Amino acid sequence: PDPGIPSDYQADFSNAVSNLYAQGDIYGSGYMAYQLDVMPEDYNGDSFVLHFLSNGTTKGEGIAGVYTMSSTMDAPFKCLKGYADAGVSRGSVFEIVKLTEDGGYTNSYSSFIDEGTVTITENGEGGYTVELDVFDSKGLHITGTAYNAVLRN
């Protein structure tokens, strides 16, 4: 489930669509949880999924900040580390995806995000800029910036 990237990696999210979904207080922490999905528009390229706790208690509140990776989701400004559950990737994961002939996509590389920081800032256009400075479960460095993450629900 974690074949991983082969070396340190500078991600390119220039062709990505970034969607942010409020999930409520699903961890029982008292804070609003979110899932961020960043996927290339044409399903060819770099992508990632983040699960994180904001500093707010209502949708859209307290999203901007510096987040650290954690295996527990009990306080604000934490991102859930990536892990496998019954062979399925969960938590925060970086992937390089490729379009398949049948119109779907496959992962050519998939790495569990294990350490580091994610910085989320308001971009002034109703969305967020997301900067990755993280390490996967094998200690490889992944960096990159996704622009205009938009709250969808």
Side-chain angles (χ1 to χ4, degrees), residues 25-118:
D25 183 15
I26 61 172
Y27 299 105
S29 65
Y31 297 95
M32 181 66 70
Y34 291 89
Q35 177 175 318
L36 173 66
D37 296 327
V38 176
M39 177 66 79
E41 272 189 299
D42 62 1
Y43 293 97
N44 281 300
D46 301 336
S47 69
F48 67 93
V49 174
L50 290 177
H51 293 267
F52 64 91
L53 280 179
S54 72
N55 191 35
T57 57
T58 60
K59 180 180 147 189
E61 176 187 48
I63 295 171
V66 178
Y67 293 79
T68 56
M69 303 311 297
S70 177
S71 57
T72 60
M73 297 294 277
D74 55 0
F77 300 120
K78 288 188 174 184
C79 283
L80 184 61
K81 290 182 178 186
Y83 64 97
D85 180 17
V88 177
S89 294
R90 304 276 187 214
S92 300
V93 180
F94 172 80
E95 298 176 322
I96 302 173
V97 296
K98 302 260 186 237
L99 189 65
T100 59
E101 289 181 17
D102 64 1
Y105 68 92
T106 185
N107 303 332
S108 57
Y109 291 102
S110 180
S111 292
F112 297 138
I113 300 174
D114 193 58
E115 293 182 33
T117 59
V118 177

